[in-house]
Structures are given as structure tokens and as C-alpha cells.
Amino acid sequence: MLPEKTKKWIDERTGYKNFLHAIFLLNFPTKRRSRWQFIWGGALVLMMLVEIVTGTLLMTVYSPSEAAAWGSVHYIETQVNLGWFVRGLHHYTAHMMIVAIIVQIFLVIVSAGYRKPKEFIYWTSLLIGGVIVGLTITGNPLPWDQKGYWSYQIETGIAGTMPGIGSTLRSLVVGGSEFGNLTLTRLYTIHVIVLPVIAILLFTIHMALIRRERLRTAKIKEAADDPDVDFELDEDDPLKDEITQPYWPYQTTRTLVLTLFLIGIVIIQMMTYPTLKNQHVNTELLEWEADLHPSEIKLEAPADSALPFVARPEWFVRFLFELRHMVPKDLEVLVTAVLPGVLLAILVLVPFYEKVLGEKWGQRLAIAVYVGGILIISGISWYGIQTERSAPDYALNRSQEIAYAARASWLASENGVPPEGPASLLRNDPKSMGPLIFARHCGICHTWNGHDGTGHFIMEMKDGKKVKATPRASDLAGFATTKWIAEFLTNPRDPKFFGHVGSLKGGDAILNGDMSDWADSYVGPEGILSKADIEAVSALLAREANRRDYEPVSEAVIKRGISVFSGQNFKGKDGKVVDFDGYCAQCHAMKAGDPDDEGGGAAPDFNGYGSAKWLSEFIRSPGAEKFYGDKNVMPAFEESKLSKHDLNLLVNWMRGEWQRPTTDK
Amino acid sequence: MRRRKFLKYCTSVLSSIYAIILAVPALGFLFSTLKRGQQEKATYELAKLNDLEPGVPQRFTIIDRRVDAWTKYPSGPIGSVWISKNEDESITAFSSTCPHLGCVVDYVPGDKVFFCPCHAATFESNGSIVSGPQPRGMDELNASIKTIRGEKWIVVEYEKFETGIAEKVSIS
């Protein structure tokens, strides 16, 4: 460091030593007693400093726009060195600060820190607490992921219910009536400039007030202790018990110990729980298998109002959200506007309790109200979280959300974020959108492994009870695979296939039609067709679909399949060529199955069966001559019902065609 | 006073830990974003050999996908090159970026020189310096001829170089 002489030279001209002493509280007198109690404020300041440093770092990468916000945060998490650490520190320290504020206000009330002449010190600390809550609320939506987007929807929704100013206030913070680019730029401005500046101003006033109070106490003590000064404190004056001591180094050490302890908790939490929460949910449910291990998912899926997401607010406003659901609609405003106002008033008015009840009982009331209030609020929040977790579809919905998050992160790492924004990552992805499109359009009649594609079941009311609805058409999971076709051929009347079609108008012609008759006549123990025959013709058909899970079979099996399909060279169970009049080509056309191509017309055309082209054409017009013709019972999905984009996604998803890791088959 | 000294010592240790918790991630964070984008050398088939007139340089735009931090753009122009065919059918390719300050260099057919309009840097058609403030001649790129479907194509390996210095240093 600088030599003593230089320091002296500078100090004579600037007075920097005094300045530094003031800034770092080096000459700041504190109470000797209960000093562990008065370090939470200092810890809050040091945590705020952590937020400022990490926040500034994040600002060097983060970009507040709909198209860029999610991508830039994903970039911070995955590409920037220690980006996950900086963002995690910023995120979790903010939450730790709210915990510290709750503790700090409790300690202030317990030590009567609001009592004359410290009322304004108390009130400024309440205001600072409010600003920190505001910072957390405006910070969480910034990544523009599903969680932030939806929790901000709820929070601005609550703000919007305030009588009179509600809708104006909402438009102001949202930047219009709809969420969009302006919402983000406004959030960003409020988060990085408006609130921090207000916090610093409040903090300056707060510190000035504390300094004034401490120095005054120190001076009075000094005068009382000085035998040359004719001044005595009253016997019951609380100052009598105070022994002043400089802040440095006695309190500094303790403040740092607490700060490091709290930040330590933050770091441990960050390491064990990366930014995405709820990892206890099983992500392997049904088809929603995640592409990434949950520990590698850093962000929820990009904000998209079209994707399902169960909105939840931040934990510290959770009780408002829960209460809002508990009261009748007309009383909502009581909860969303009046109640927070009342709570605030209860806290602000604490110094006046003693005016009415006397010091002892005033303080006891304040403690009772504060602790009681926090217990009630925690109880409501805990109850709400438990109710949500025990809801029947909670695990399923949450695993779906996590699967979306994993898919979006994986696609972004693999392909980069397209210029039109991160939402298109999932919107153009068959694996993500296929189930939703299936559930919306097909799930009313068809099923997918029994559910509607997304893992939910179509429900209907029966005798006043909600029960699983009976499907009306076949289960399409595994459609056009060898296994699926073989199962169908063995028993077309199975509930998995035509079983329920009979309940539809005209469906009986299919349920008890030629295909079922065919199975009755030729399949089964008495039938001429062996299991190998069925499998061979199924493999022949599945070859047309050429799904990625199709396993090529030997030439002999294909030949056998052709013999079943065309009826030529058909060998019976004893291996001799016999006449077979149940051959497929009588009704179905397929060049690969019938070299003479004589058949077709009476039943769906099997040329390219199950391929993307065949499926698209079928879905567009199942009643076409080459498909079901007059017998068709399925509605046609024209462009007006199902866009070309959605049709492609649906068809690719049904066939299992989506981008996968290259190591995968 | 020993207690006071001990506490002072504790304070400096603890505040160092606090500072390290902030400083280490801060440095890692900043330095990873300050480092240059990892540009990969890529080759581009730009023109058929027969379409070029000997001795007359022609400018071709390099079209490729560009990754800007988290955004991946679809194909678009990322730079351009001057290609000239010599009398002996050999090929010379220059980056059109001026080695002085990175403006785009033009070709003046009448004078048969490359000319940068920003600070009047002038180069011979073989890339060497005629006059001007540029510290080095034009940056030559690796060019070769490849036969694709029976036709001879000019293939250029495009890369960018640091500007303003005498040495030709690739940015990658």
C-alpha cells in the first residue's frame, strides 16, 4: 500500500480517511449488548451489494426483448463461464434478502427499534423492504420463461383488480394491454434503474437517521460519563444501560459472519437446486420423457401462451393468490387491494401502539401481530402449495412442463435460437406440439396408449360422477408398426381397434364389416393363417410406412407377406402351396404386396401406407375413394380445421419423427 | 487490545472470502463474453472457373449461416472476396476487407488497382501495396479448383484477419 507519508499528504488535501471511516462505519458507535441482533441490516447491505455486482454482470449479456430474453438467459447459463453461478447467486440471494428482511423487522420490533426517536428509521426500513420485494417481483419475469411469464400475469392481474387505479396501473407496468416487448423493456427499466435508485435513496436517508441517533446517544453517554460535565441521566433512562462501542471491528466481523453464512446457504441451494425448481417430479412419466437430465435444465420453457403451464406466483405473494381463490368473486378486491393495505397499515402503525397501550403492552401487541401474521400467511401459503401438489394431475402437468423446458433447452443448445424468438423452438417441434394437436383434434374419438396424447384422459359425466370417457375409435400409439398391424389383424374387434366404432353412426358397417369377417374366417386356431403369416404381412405393410422404429425383415418374410397379400404361391401350415381366397389384394391396393396389382377399391389403399404423405392425405379426407369411401365415419380435417403446419407436426409426431440426439437411432 | 486485533484479522479474512465469491465469477463471466467469437474456417464454392475473365478480378459474396451469441440466423451475407483468374488458369483470392481499418476494397478496372475509398489505400492487382496508410498488402485466401459434376469450380477458404497490424493474423 501507500507509504504513510503519501497517505498523510493526500489526507491533508482530501480528508479521505474521515470519509472512508464514515462510509465503512469504522467510527460508528453501536450498542455493546445484544450485538448479534443488529447485524441483519448490515448483512442486507452486503447482500444488496452482491445483487448489484451480479446484476451488472448479467446486464452485459441479458437482452430485454421477446425474441432475445430467453435465449440470452439460456446463453448465460450454458455458454458464459460461471454464468450459472452468477445468475444463481443473483436469483437466490434476492430470495434470501426477503427472508432477511422478515427476520430484521422482527428483531427491530423485539428490540423496540421503532420507539421514539427511531420511528423514521423503522419506516424507512419498511420502505426498503417493499422496494426489495418489488425488485424480486420485477426480476423474476425477465428471463421470459413460462414461470416468470405466468407469475407476472398473476401479479399484474392482482394489481389490475385494485379499484379505480387498477387497470391504469396494470397498463403502465405491462406497457399496454397485452404482454410483449414493451412489458419487458418496462420491467427491465424498473428492475435495473427505477427501483435500485429508490432503494439507494431510501438507504441513504435510513443510514443518515441511524447515524444521527447513534451519535446523539454516544454524545449523551460521553457527557454523562465525563465527571467534568454537570450532567446526569435519570435512573430509569434506557441510555443508562447502553455502552457504546465502534462498529469497526466488533460489529463488522459479526456482520460478515452472518452474510457469509447466508450466502453459503444460497450457494449450497444453488448447487443442489439449479434455477429450475420442482425436480422431485418424475420426468419419465408417459411419453413426456425429458431430453435432458433435470439437473441440466436451467430454465422453464420459453414464454408461450399456447403451451399449457400452471401459473403460480412467487412464494411471498402466494397467500394473496390463495386467498383470492378462497373468497367469493365479489370480495376479491378485499383480498387483492384492501388486505395488503391493511397489513401495511398494521406494520406502519407499530410505533403508535405504545401511545395507546403503553410501552410494555404496545410492544407485546406488535410482536403478537407480527409473528401471528407471519404464521397465518405461511399457513395459507403452505396449505395452497400442499393442495396444489396433491391435485390429481399435478405430477403429470409438472412433468409435462419440465419436459417442455428440457426440450426447449436441448433444441436451443443444438440449433441455436432462431431470430423470430425462442417460442418457435417448440412450436415447430413435432415432439412438443404433436400431443397437443392430437389431444385437441383426435383425442375426442381416438386414444394414444389409452390417454389423449398428453397423458390426460378425456372425462365425461356419468351418473353425476366424472369418469373416463369411452373412446370411439382406435388407439393410435404405435400406428403402422408391425406389432400394431399384427394385433389389429388378429382381432379387429378389440376395443383398441374397431371395438368402439359401433357406437358411431354408420360405424357398425366397419365393426362388423368385411375386415372383422375376414379375421373370423382366416385367423385364429381354425384359420388357415399362421401367426408367422400374420407377422409377415404386417411387416410387409409396416415397410410401406418405413417408420424410424421399423426393423427390416428377411427377404423370405417379405415373400411370405406378399403371398398372403396377393394369394399367389401361398403355403399353408403344412408348407404346401394351397389356394387362399382371403388374400388382401381383393380389397386393398398395394403394388409391393401384389405384383399383378389387380386389387383395390373396396378398402383403403395401402400404397405408402402409414407414410407421412399417406397419413396426411388420410386425415385431410378419410372418405376419399382410395380410403374408406362411403363407409367412412371419421370427420375430414381440411385446411380450415387443421393447418398444414399443424398437420405436418401431427403426422411426424405420430410416426415418431422428430429431432433426436445423433447418437440415438 | 488483543481481542480487537483478532477481530480486525477476522474481518479482513472474511471480507476477502466475500470479495472472492464475487470477483471470481465476475472475472470468469466477463472474460468469456469478451473473447472473440470462435470463427471456423469454412470453404465456399463461389463460381465456375470458365465464367471468369482472365485478369479481371470479380467480387463474390460469401453467404452462410451466422451465429450471434444465442441467435442463429438463416443464410445471409457474411463477407465478400475478390477472385481473379490469371492467364495460366491459376486462381488468386483476396479478402475484400481492407487490412488498414476494415473497409470494403473496390477494384478500379481502368487503373487495374484495388482501391479502398475510406483512406485511399491502393493495392496492385496482385495485392501488394501501391500507396496509402495500410500496414500490409491485401489478405490472400486459400483458393483451389474442384471438379463438381464435370465442371471446374473455384473453392475459397474464407477467414477474417486482424486489421491495422503488419502481420496477417487470423481471427479465430
Side-chain angles (χ1 to χ4, degrees):
Chain A
M1 290 300 271
L2 292 173
E4 229 21 75
K5 223 176 156 185
T6 322
K7 280 188 189 168
K8 201 175 158 229
W9 189 86
I10 298 174
D11 192 42
E12 275 169 3
R13 283 153 184 83
T14 57
Y16 84 97
K17 276 184 180 166
N18 262 336
F19 182 71
L20 286 183
H21 279 210
I23 288 268
F24 293 111
L25 303 172
L26 298 187
N27 54 1
F28 184 75
T30 55
K31 293 180 183 189
R32 181 172 214 130
R33 301 227 170 109
S34 45
R35 50 208 162 192
W36 281 101
Q37 211 167 326
F38 298 102
I39 53 177
W40 286 80
L44 271 164
V45 174
L46 288 182
M47 285 197 275
M48 195 68 208
L49 195 63
V50 170
E51 291 297 276
I52 292 172
V53 171
T54 51
T56 311
L57 288 171
L58 293 172
M59 280 172 76
T60 62
V61 178
Y62 176 74
S63 171
S65 81
E66 276 215 314
W70 189 90
S72 61
V73 177
H74 186 258
Y75 181 81
I76 290 171
E77 286 280 358
T78 55
Q79 302 294 313
V80 178
N81 295 343
L82 290 172
W84 63 275
F85 188 88
V86 171
R87 176 164 173 257
L89 205 57
H90 194 75
H91 176 91
Y92 281 121
T93 306
H95 290 276
M96 187 55 90
M97 283 177 78
I98 291 179
V99 175
I101 288 165
I102 293 171
V103 175
Q104 160 81 349
I105 293 176
F106 173 73
L107 292 175
V108 166
I109 292 176
V110 166
S111 60
Y114 52 81
R115 198 171 285 164
K116 186 190 168 188
K118 294 184 271 190
E119 289 98 329
F120 279 92
I121 297 175
Y122 171 72
W123 288 329
T124 44
S125 68
L126 285 186
L127 284 173
I128 293 171
V131 172
I132 289 171
V133 169
L135 278 166
T136 316
I137 287 179
T138 52
N140 272 308
L142 286 177
W144 218 232
D145 61 352
Q146 288 280 66
K147 179 178 175 289
Y149 178 87
W150 288 107
S151 59
Y152 198 54
Q153 282 275 12
I154 293 177
E155 286 147 7
T156 52
I158 289 177
T161 59
M162 284 190 197
I165 54 160
S167 61
T168 318
L169 186 70
R170 187 180 182 277
S171 306
L172 267 178
V173 291
V174 168
S177 56
E178 293 291 324
F179 274 31
N181 280 326
L182 286 178
T183 316
L184 269 170
T185 47
R186 268 164 201 248
L187 267 174
Y188 189 58
T189 315
I190 296 171
H191 187 74
V192 305
I193 283 289
V194 179
L195 291 179
V197 166
I198 294 176
I200 288 168
L201 284 176
L202 284 171
F203 175 70
T204 314
I205 298 170
H206 184 71
M207 283 317 289
L209 290 169
I210 292 178
R211 261 196 111 73
R212 177 179 175 276
E213 193 270 326
R214 292 312 309 164
L215 290 172
R216 207 181 59 95
T217 310
K219 269 186 191 144
I220 295 171
K221 282 291 294 179
E222 214 170 275
D225 294 345
D226 191 343
D228 297 343
V229 179
D230 183 22
F231 174 74
E232 278 296 320
L233 283 167
D234 289 343
E235 229 11 76
D236 60 342
D237 194 303
L239 285 184
K240 195 109 184 147
D241 297 334
E242 289 208 16
I243 298 162
T244 56
Q245 183 184 50
Y247 197 89
W248 161 270
Y250 302 99
Q251 289 295 83
T252 326
T253 316
R254 292 179 169 84
T255 308
L256 277 166
V257 168
L258 177 67
T259 311
L260 289 178
F261 176 71
L262 295 179
I263 293 179
I265 294 177
V266 161
I267 292 174
I268 290 168
Q269 192 179 16
M270 206 162 80
M271 302 283 222
T272 45
Y273 265 110
T275 328
L276 195 78
K277 291 163 194 123
N278 282 338
Q279 289 184 7
H280 56 278
V281 173
N282 178 11
T283 51
E284 313 273 305
L285 277 177
L286 301 161
E287 277 90 45
W288 291 108
E289 198 184 319
D291 296 74
L292 293 173
H293 188 267
S295 67
E296 289 175 58
I297 312 170
K298 315 294 187 189
L299 272 173
E300 294 282 355
D304 189 341
S305 51
L307 290 183
F309 193 88
V310 180
R312 308 158 188 94
E314 282 301 325
W315 56 273
F316 45 85
V317 283
R318 180 87 193 207
F319 71 102
L320 287 180
F321 174 76
E322 297 300 336
L323 282 174
R324 206 181 162 194
H325 291 290
M326 289 176 192
V327 298
K329 205 120 187 87
D330 318 336
L331 299 177
E332 226 175 64
V333 73
L334 278 182
V335 172
T336 55
V338 179
L339 182 68
V342 170
L343 290 180
L344 221 63
I346 288 174
L347 276 180
V348 169
L349 293 178
V350 160
F352 299 113
Y353 293 2
E354 301 191 345
K355 290 270 173 309
V356 184
L357 296 168
E359 272 189 8
K360 196 170 159 195
W361 284 100
Q363 189 178 23
R364 283 183 181 175
L365 177 70
I367 294 172
V369 166
Y370 189 76
V371 174
I374 286 189
L375 285 178
I376 292 170
I377 286 173
S378 318
I380 295 170
S381 310
W382 185 83
Y383 169 78
I385 291 168
Q386 289 310 310
T387 323
E388 184 195 295
R389 294 231 165 126
S390 55
D393 279 347
Y394 172 74
L396 178 65
N397 289 335
R398 188 67 199 128
S399 71
Q400 185 179 350
E401 288 161 13
I402 290 178
Y404 275 136
R407 185 74 182 154
S409 285
W410 184 77
L411 285 171
S413 304
E414 216 49 26
N415 308 344
V417 179
E420 61 266 30
S424 61
L425 286 172
L426 295 183
R427 285 196 178 174
N428 295 325
D429 175 42
K431 189 190 180 196
S432 309
M433 298 311 288
L436 296 180
I437 299 167
F438 186 87
R440 198 183 317 138
H441 294 290
C442 322
I444 304 144
C445 297
H446 289 283
T447 51
W448 186 271
N449 278 334
H451 55 79
D452 72 348
T454 63
H456 295 89
F457 296 97
I458 305 269
M459 305 302 273
E460 63 182 10
M461 296 302 283
K462 215 172 202 174
D463 308 327
K465 263 193 237 160
K466 239 180 166 186
V467 291
K468 257 190 227 175
T470 317
R472 279 170 277 186
S474 50
D475 190 290
L476 292 174
F479 169 75
T481 56
T482 311
K483 185 170 166 275
W484 191 88
I485 299 166
E487 276 176 32
F488 171 75
L489 292 178
T490 313
N491 184 13
R493 284 203 186 86
D494 191 276
K496 202 180 154 186
F497 302 106
F498 288 165
H500 298 296
V501 174
S503 64
L504 291 166
K505 190 168 170 264
D508 195 56
I510 291 180
L511 174 61
N512 296 312
D514 295 340
M515 201 66 226
S516 302
D517 288 347
W518 176 87
D520 292 343
S521 316
Y522 301 107
V523 193
E526 282 96 57
I528 188 169
L529 292 173
S530 66
K531 200 165 172 260
D533 288 328
I534 295 288
E535 264 164 21
V537 78
S538 302
L540 178 71
L541 268 170
R543 195 178 66 164
E544 292 285 301
N546 195 21
R547 287 173 55 133
R548 57 182 298 118
D549 50 8
Y550 174 71
E551 279 165 26
V553 291
S554 68
E555 199 51 43
V557 173
I558 291 293
K559 262 199 180 136
R560 187 172 192 156
I562 292 173
S563 76
V564 175
F565 201 91
S566 64
Q568 291 167 12
N569 273 330
F570 179 77
K571 294 189 183 84
K573 281 176 182 166
D574 52 2
K576 285 183 188 139
V577 174
V578 288
D579 273 349
F580 173 51
D581 48 9
Y583 60 96
C584 316
Q586 280 177 69
C587 303
H588 295 281
M590 184 168 80
K591 284 202 181 78
D594 182 17
D596 303 336
D597 195 26
E598 60 164 86
D605 185 326
F606 280 169
N607 285 303
Y609 167 78
S611 66
K613 185 169 170 283
W614 189 92
L615 254 178
S616 309
E617 283 176 9
F618 187 92
I619 293 168
R620 279 269 187 260
S621 58
E625 200 52 47
K626 62 187 271 200
F627 298 121
Y628 274 113
D630 297 340
K631 281 186 230 154
N632 177 49
V633 291
M634 173 173 152
F637 288 87
E638 297 105 0
E639 177 79 32
S640 57
K641 270 197 201 164
L642 183 65
S643 69
K644 192 164 189 250
H645 181 250
D646 282 2
L647 178 68
N648 282 339
L649 291 172
L650 174 67
V651 164
N652 283 329
W653 171 70
M654 286 176 73
R655 289 171 40 76
E657 291 291 340
W658 56 76
Q659 194 181 348
R660 291 160 199 256
T662 41
T663 49
D664 201 15
K665 190 213 153 185
Chain B
M1 258 327 167
R2 270 170 71 193
R3 180 178 153 75
R4 192 177 156 86
K5 254 204 172 126
F6 171 73
L7 285 175
K8 276 188 174 178
Y9 175 74
C10 286
T11 308
S12 48
V13 170
L14 292 171
S15 50
S16 309
I17 297 173
Y18 175 84
I20 287 167
I21 290 175
L22 283 181
V24 170
L27 291 177
F29 197 95
L30 283 178
F31 279 113
S32 71
T33 47
L34 286 180
K35 82 184 167 200
R36 299 251 189 189
Q38 297 269 301
Q39 185 206 13
E40 298 211 346
K41 269 193 224 168
T43 53
Y44 301 88
E45 290 134 26
L46 291 176
K48 284 182 209 158
L49 186 64
N50 294 339
D51 293 353
L52 283 179
E53 205 180 309
V56 183
Q58 234 180 306
R59 200 170 130 195
F60 292 90
T61 308
I62 306 278
I63 307 278
D64 202 353
R65 296 183 64 132
R66 186 170 65 91
V67 180
D68 179 6
W70 53 87
T71 308
K72 193 159 197 174
Y73 291 97
S75 290
I78 59 163
S80 60
V81 291
W82 283 104
I83 298 178
S84 43
K85 182 161 82 167
N86 308 322
E87 296 299 340
D88 60 349
E89 295 264 298
S90 68
I91 292 295
T92 318
F94 294 110
S95 166
S96 71
T97 309
C98 179
H100 177 219
L101 287 173
C103 291
V104 177
V105 176
D106 282 336
Y107 182 71
V108 188
D111 300 343
K112 293 199 171 173
V113 290
F114 288 108
F115 180 75
C116 178
C118 291
H119 302 93
T122 315
F123 305 87
E124 297 271 14
S125 52
N126 68 7
S128 56
I129 301 172
V130 175
S131 64
Q134 68 274 41
R136 62 174 190 259
M138 284 180 77
D139 297 319
E140 192 169 344
L141 298 166
N142 290 332
S144 55
I145 290 163
K146 194 172 156 193
T147 310
I148 301 166
R149 286 181 294 275
E151 284 180 299
K152 285 182 174 173
W153 281 77
I154 299 163
V155 179
V156 173
E157 195 179 278
Y158 183 72
E159 57 183 323
K160 288 177 176 166
F161 302 95
E162 300 272 6
T163 55
I165 52 176
E167 301 82 41
K168 181 175 155 188
V169 181
S170 177
I171 307 173
S172 59

